[in-house]
């Protein structure tokens, strides 16, 4: 059968592909600029020559020259060829430097080079099934900690906790709290500091993350905070039934090998008047429903290269990051939660917040 190509559509798609490839390359350079401190060195510095910037960021001059070339042609930095200087506009610096506590997009750029390092493993999974274990991406916890520092910590006490009426008063009076899949434990450390009458336990599969969190809690003198390395599916072995007043999880359910076991364990551990507050990716459970998600391609890619595959590596459910509200509600109810509220926060278009009660 002979088909007639729409040449206008073909030309438009060719242009889009060029943008995709160029922007993918710029993502690498944005990640490098974040990790080396080059963006931070340019903030409010005015026009800088290549040697000036290299010195300010303590970086090799030749590499800085090439980096600036990519960011100049990529319209991220401004360049004056007459003075041979480069400037990071204030409007760009707000979204690319550590001066911005909540809007630094360079933090997210790190996911692309980080996960690309296991592309060969993922290709093998496409061909043969299975998954890539958690330990194959050792920096993932570090990047997640940075992301959490932007999306969770600044709003934890003013916006997230108030989703549960009266919770801050209970924390002040003293309750028992567990964070399942706590990573490096930044949220718990903040809460343990703010609410010394309450006791906090963080559980995570990563021994490295738990060691990091334990050392930081000790340095801060937080005697009401402990961390334990363990599988979230084995909570029944860790927590006594009815022993917890508040359970938390931040972006953790969909990664689990056995998410239902984790949710059942939380339900069993909660006191009769306890609450489970879960943050997770706000997908729709359908590809079509995710078309309008502003970072949908990024989330599906992270899911393929991490969230889904680490679960499948343990012969798990492989829910993936974009499991969505519909499936999430099914899992919560199946675990025994009779009352589940779904909330969104204006500052956070990426996540849904579930308030679950026994």
């Amino acid at each position: 059968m002979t088909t007639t190509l729409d040449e206008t559509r073909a030309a438009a798609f060719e242009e889009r592909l060029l943008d995709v490839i160029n922007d993918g390359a710029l993502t690498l350079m944005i990640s490098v600029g974040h990790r080396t401190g080059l963006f931070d060195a340019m903030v409010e510095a005015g026009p800088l020559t290549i040697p000036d910037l290299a010195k300010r960021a303590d970086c090799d001059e030749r590499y800085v020259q090439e980096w600036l070339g990519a960011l100049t042609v990529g319209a991220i930095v401004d360049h004056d060829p007459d003075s041979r200087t480069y400037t990071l506009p204030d409007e760009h610096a707000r979204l690319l430097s550590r001066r911005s506590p909540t809007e630094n997009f360079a933090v997210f750029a790190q996911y692309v080079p980080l996960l690309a390092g296991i592309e060969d493993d993922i290709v093998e999974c496409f061909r043969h099934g299975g998954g890539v274990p958690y330990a194959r991406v050792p920096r993932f916890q570090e990047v997640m900690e940075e992301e959490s520092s932007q999306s969770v910590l600044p709003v934890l006490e003013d916006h997230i906790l108030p989703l549960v009426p009266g919770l801050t008063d209970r924390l002040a009076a003293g309750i028992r709290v567990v964070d399942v899949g706590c990573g490096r434990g930044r949220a718990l450390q903040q809460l343990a500091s703010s609410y010394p009458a309450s006791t906090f336990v963080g559980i995570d599969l990563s021994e490295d993350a738990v060691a990091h969190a334990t050392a930081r809690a000790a340095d801060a003198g937080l005697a009401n905070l402990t961390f334990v390395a363990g599988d979230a599916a084995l909570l029944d072995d860790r927590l006594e039934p009815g022993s917890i007043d508040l359970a938390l999880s931040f972006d953790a359910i969909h990664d689990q090998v056995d998410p239902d076991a984790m949710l059942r364990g939380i339900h069993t551990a909660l006191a009769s008047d306890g609450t489970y507050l879960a943050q997770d990716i706000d997908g729709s459970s359908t590809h079509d429903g995710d078309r309008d998600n502003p970072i949908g391609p990024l989330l599906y890619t992270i899911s393929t290269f991490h969230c889904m595959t680490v679960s499948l590596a343990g012969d798990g459910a492989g829910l993936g990051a974009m499991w969505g509200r519909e499936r999430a509600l099914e899992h919560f109810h199946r675990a025994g939660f009779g009352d589940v509220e779904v909330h969104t926060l204006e500052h956070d278009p990426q996540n849904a917040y579930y308030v679950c009660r026994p």
Side-chain angles (χ1 to χ4, degrees), residues 22 56 60 77 79 86 90 104 122 125 147 150 179 194 225 243 248-249 293 295-296 315 321 335:
N22 277 321
R56 286 175 65 93
D60 181 86
V77 302
H79 174 47
Y86 301 81
D90 290 342
N104 185 0
I122 292 295
C125 291
E147 182 185 337
Q150 292 196 146
D179 183 352
S194 297
L225 172 59
S243 64
L248 303 169
S249 67
N293 190 308
I295 56 172
D315 296 323

Side-chain angles (χ1 to χ4, degrees), residues 5 17 32 64 71 96 106 132 160 180 197 240-241 243 246 263 265 272 277 280 283 298 310 316 341-342 351:
L5 288 177
L17 285 179
V32 168
V64 171
L71 296 192
L96 289 172
V132 182
I160 297 177
V180 183
E240 294 292 330
S243 64
L246 173 66
L263 294 175
S272 59
L277 175 56
D280 217 291
L298 175 64
V310 297
E341 302 170 3
V342 186
N351 293 294

